[in-house]
Amino acid sequence: MTAATDTLNPTQGDHAGEAHGHDDHGHHAATGWRRWVYATNHKDIGTLYLWFSFSMFILGGTMALGIRAELFTPGLQFWQPEFFNQLTTLHGIIMVFGAIMPAFTGLANWMLPLMLGAPDMAFARMNNWSFWLLPPSALLLVISLFVPGGAAAGGWTLYPPLSLQFGMGMDLAIFSVHLLGLSSIMGSINIIVTILNMRSPGMTLMKMPMFAWTSLVTAYLLIAVAPVLAGAVTMLLTDRHFGTHFFKAVGGGDPVLFQHIFWFFGHPEVYIMALPAFGIVSQIIPTFARKPLFGYHSMVYATASIAILSFMVWAHHMFSVGMPATAQLFFMFMTMLIAVPTGVKVFNWIATMWQGAMSFETPMLFAVGFVCLFTVGGFSGLVLSIAPVDTQMHDTYYVVAHFHYVLVAGALFSLFGAVYYWLPKWTGYMYSEKMGKFHFWWSMVWFNVTFFPMHFLGLAGMPRRIPDYPLQFTDFNALASVGAFCFGLGQLFFLYNVIHTIRGGVGKAPANPWEGAHTLEWEVPSPAPHHTWETPPSQELVEKGLKEQAL
Amino acid sequence: MTSATLTSVERDRANRRTAIKLGIAAAAMVGFAYGMVPFYNVFCEALGIDRARPELADVHAAAMRVEFDTNVSNGLPARLTPLEPVVAGRAGGLVKAKFRLENLSDAPLGLRAVPSYAPERAGRFLTKMECFCFNALTLAARETRDVTVVLLVDEQMPAELGAVTLSYTLFPLEDKA
């Protein structure tokens, strides 16, 4: 709060970005490790989030490769089934809570104050806390691999009765989820307050960049459901150690109750990982189509509709546990209804590109790749929403294919696009377009080689979360494993590409390297100075950009 | 409400107010998670969803699941509903079940309920003590009546018997058909 208030002091420099090294910012002058551990600057914290999430991406990715190595041929090669199950569980938890979610929070931290014309996030110290809860929670998960009984192995959904029976690895996972939830809630409070209270003059809610809108709605979703997950795992914990019987059938509890509570969190969680991706794509596509975003207002309403509907569809994850036909129909139709606002978004993106002067720099490639592949994932989701079909496909590789299309080709591709889009702003240097394009095409090809065959495996009946499989599934599994290793290799190339850019890339970046970008972050120099918008941008400046965006 | 219209102190206060509201919302959602527990029980009961049953969960005693199924023969303006669709039976214990019988027509109605059960081998372990079945029943116009079944579970009931389904079908009384 202090950082946010004293930077508003009107006696300071009248142009944003020129106040670097201002002497009343002594508490920001920390260097070395102190700069990061005591970080209160939104850009530093954003950077921390992004590096943390990348390292979790590599960790979770390594686990995925452990899974794919085992599945390359039938039979047990590398791991015992117990360890294989730990790999699938930790891969899920780490990718969802460690890689994707912190990456979006990191982007929101870095970009929201710049895009909205605010000097920093609303609560700078709480921001520091939100980030620094993450490394310990990741550590708990890693430690859990080495305790007696190993890590949690019942899948990322932590279903009882398995989760009631595991050893202390499960307790560590529960505590880890507590910390992650706390971090998400604080991060979300910060994002909401920043967006609601700290926008520059002239930028009304309905004129904010789409990324701000999707971040705002996502933050609301998190505040609503992260505590529900925390409650669910706390009930697991007390069932395990303190004699309660929420989910223990022996004591009168019901394991199915956990599934309801978990998916009440879990389905909005799906949109927590998808909405910010929609926001990023809605920034990138207008820039490279050199046209304003088509249907801005409908985009906002679609985002809100998806968020509201996400609370009414959770039981479609549970069609096979048994529920009255009426309930199945309700959840089935509500799920299908979500395709409407999502379709609005996809059509708006296409309409934005329609007759635009498009150019295909790396961020645009990732955005267009996102639109194509996310739609594939959306369609397989529609297939799964049909209750009788889902009863057949439940817990097969079809589901695995579906959610990797929306989470890898969806969330992750949008994140790659975001990194290439804003890398010049962050580092002050241009990345190599050649290497960026190579990264995109490499990822695009191998992603599909990895995950497309999984649709067929699922339709043929291969269950998920198994270390061994019948012979008839061999060819598609071998193909998927080759694809996964190549895809993984490509991400090391991405790391190289980013480091290459930080070290100078292909030359200095101008303040606005993109011809069609008109949001406020491009009004500050590249690299963005430590302090920006200490005086809010003038109304004329804001309105100039809004006019270009047809708002 | 943007930063230009507020002084830094005012904005600071506004920020804190919003944060407190959001913090309260988050805390309330933890409560909501716990609130789902009793709500789930109420909901399952109201919908008649068969949920995990504590009385079946006692691992030290063999228990039998007794499930009730009801049917009404074609065109008969009556309804038969088990008030508890699933009950637990213990070896040597009694099973009591109530059914609601309704005449949906505006005229008196003569009825007879005919029972059947599955699996066949369960018949040996269930003794009928009291039943509304086979009796000729006459309901006044629009009458609703609760009827009872009492069964004795045999001491020798094998633990692996698992579930028994008792089915009752309503037929019109022969002379009134």
Side-chain angles (χ1 to χ4, degrees), chain A residues 32-47:
Chain A
W33 62 270
R34 281 190 184 81
R35 172 177 171 189
W36 303 106
V37 174
Y38 300 153
T40 49
N41 178 283
H42 72 101
K43 300 182 187 81
D44 286 350
I45 292 175
T47 305

Side-chain angles (χ1 to χ4, degrees), chain A residues 6-213:
Chain A
D6 59 24
T7 49
L8 251 191
N9 189 334
T11 60
Q12 287 170 20
D14 60 357
H15 195 279
E18 285 170 5
H20 193 32
H22 221 284
D23 48 14
D24 65 345
H25 288 292
H27 56 291
H28 284 311
T31 50
W33 62 270
R34 281 190 184 81
R35 172 177 171 189
W36 303 106
V37 174
Y38 300 153
T40 49
N41 178 283
H42 72 101
K43 300 182 187 81
D44 286 350
I45 292 175
T47 305
L48 284 171
Y49 263 108
L50 290 170
W51 279 112
F52 172 81
S53 103
F54 186 78
S55 50
M56 286 297 108
F57 172 61
I58 294 297
L59 178 64
T62 309
M63 290 172 172
L65 294 187
I67 295 168
R68 285 318 317 173
E70 180 59 56
L71 293 175
F72 182 64
T73 51
L76 294 182
Q77 281 74 234
F78 300 103
W79 327 117
Q80 288 305 302
E82 293 76 23
F83 183 66
F84 182 90
N85 291 341
Q86 296 172 28
L87 283 182
T88 52
T89 306
L90 285 191
H91 165 72
I93 296 180
I94 286 174
M95 285 306 203
V96 168
F97 296 105
I100 302 286
M101 290 170 60
F104 285 131
T105 318
L107 281 180
N109 262 297
W110 236 109
M111 301 318 299
L112 284 182
L114 283 179
M115 295 174 117
L116 299 172
D120 203 305
M121 297 295 277
F123 305 104
R125 280 174 207 281
M126 187 166 82
N127 213 4
N128 174 292
W129 248 115
S130 316
F131 173 75
W132 281 108
L133 283 178
L134 292 177
S137 66
L139 201 62
L140 284 176
L141 287 176
V142 173
I143 290 173
S144 75
L145 279 167
F146 303 101
V147 300
W156 82 281
T157 51
L158 308 175
Y159 277 3
L162 284 178
S163 54
L164 295 177
Q165 294 160 359
F166 285 125
M168 64 185 290
M170 187 68 210
D171 298 317
L172 292 174
I174 289 174
F175 291 135
S176 174
V177 169
H178 277 140
L179 292 184
L180 291 163
L182 207 56
S183 159
S184 297
I185 292 169
M186 292 199 295
S188 302
I189 290 180
N190 228 329
I191 288 173
I192 295 176
V193 176
T194 305
I195 294 177
L196 291 185
N197 293 356
M198 314 221 349
R199 298 186 313 280
S200 56
M203 184 168 294
T204 59
L205 279 177
M206 283 313 264
K207 288 179 196 256
M208 294 195 298
M210 267 315 287
F211 179 63
W213 256 112

Side-chain angles (χ1 to χ4, degrees), chain A residues 1-2 4-5 7-8 117 119 122-123 185 188-189 192-193 196-204 220 223-225 227-232 234-235 238 246 249-257 260-261 264 311 314 322-324 327 536, chain B residues 1-41 43-44 47-60:
Chain A
M1 284 169 280
T2 51
T5 41
T7 49
L8 251 191
F123 305 104
I185 292 169
S188 302
I189 290 180
I192 295 176
V193 176
L196 291 185
N197 293 356
M198 314 221 349
R199 298 186 313 280
S200 56
M203 184 168 294
T204 59
Y220 272 117
I223 286 190
V225 299
V228 174
L229 176 67
T234 308
M235 288 182 229
T238 56
F246 290 106
V250 163
D254 193 338
V256 176
L257 170 63
H260 282 287
I261 303 178
F264 185 86
F311 286 101
W314 78 89
M323 75 182 91
Chain B
M1 190 169 63
T2 53
S3 48
T5 57
L6 295 173
T7 69
S8 62
V9 179
E10 276 173 340
R11 196 186 51 185
D12 220 27
R13 205 171 296 150
N15 284 355
R16 204 166 309 151
R17 245 196 328 266
T18 317
I20 289 170
K21 276 186 214 155
L22 293 169
I24 292 171
M29 286 311 288
V30 178
F32 177 81
Y34 279 86
M36 277 174 94
V37 179
F39 181 69
Y40 177 72
N41 289 340
F43 202 67
C44 286
L47 282 181
I49 299 171
D50 173 28
R51 48 159 309 192
R53 305 177 70 83
E55 65 269 32
L56 285 171
D58 184 350
V59 286
H60 305 298

